Amino acid sequence: MDIFDRGGGIPFELQERVWSYMYSTRRGTPGSVQSDAAEATPLAGFGVGLPLSRLYAEYIGGSLQLVSMPNFGTHAFLFLERCSSRKEGMPTYVNWLRKRHLLEELLDLEGRKRAAVEIEDYAEALRLKGLAAEVHQKLKEFHG
């Protein structure tokens, strides 16, 4: 996704600072680029929007990048993976849910293996048997 504006861009010397939680263009904040003589930026915030947006994008497997030309504008590029291409990362303390997913996967593989044997597709049955053995090994890791 590409979002573009022509709001004057970000000066080259300040572009790396926009990813800091302590940086803002709001007047009177630490790290502010506003001087007393400068006009306040009407949409200036607290400096957490871009860093949090990048953090969220990375959490779900994507990325957020900015390309800015001073005195012209800024492009914000958000890259995300398709939902079906990766499973949601679960915290390590949620072992019961991981175990349930592994059991479901094992049952699915066993059912597909039986179906392959019924139609005499022994190569596919052997491949599925190997995958089921890997899942079974992962399940053993939960018990000891």
Side-chain angles (χ1 to χ4, degrees), residues 63-127:
S63 67
L64 176 64
Q65 303 294 326
L66 292 182
V67 177
S68 187
M69 292 298 295
N71 302 317
F72 184 69
T74 302
H75 279 273
F77 295 98
L78 177 63
F79 299 96
L80 298 173
E81 293 183 31
R82 291 179 186 242
C83 291
S84 62
S85 66
R86 87 186 253 289
K87 292 185 179 181
E88 180 180 0
M90 296 299 294
T92 55
Y93 63 85
V94 189
N95 285 339
W96 63 269
L97 186 58
R98 177 74 175 133
K99 183 177 178 181
R100 190 181 89 195
H101 286 297
L102 287 172
L103 285 170
E104 290 171 357
E105 185 177 357
L106 183 61
L107 289 173
D108 177 59
L109 289 168
E110 291 292 337
R112 289 170 46 203
K113 182 182 80 171
R114 280 192 297 277
V117 168
E118 286 178 8
I119 62 169
E120 298 180 1
D121 187 355
Y122 299 115
E124 178 67 4
L126 188 59
R127 184 184 75 83

Side-chain angles (χ1 to χ4, degrees), residues 3-43:
I3 301 169
F4 175 71
D5 73 35
R6 292 191 180 168
I10 304 167
F12 289 122
E13 63 273 8
L14 300 177
Q15 289 183 11
E16 283 302 313
R17 293 176 65 191
V18 300
W19 301 111
S20 168
Y21 289 99
M22 301 304 293
Y23 174 75
S24 175
T25 56
R26 182 181 218 136
R27 185 177 292 181
T29 58
S32 171
V33 296
Q34 296 288 338
S35 68
D36 290 335
E39 184 179 323
T41 304
L43 297 176

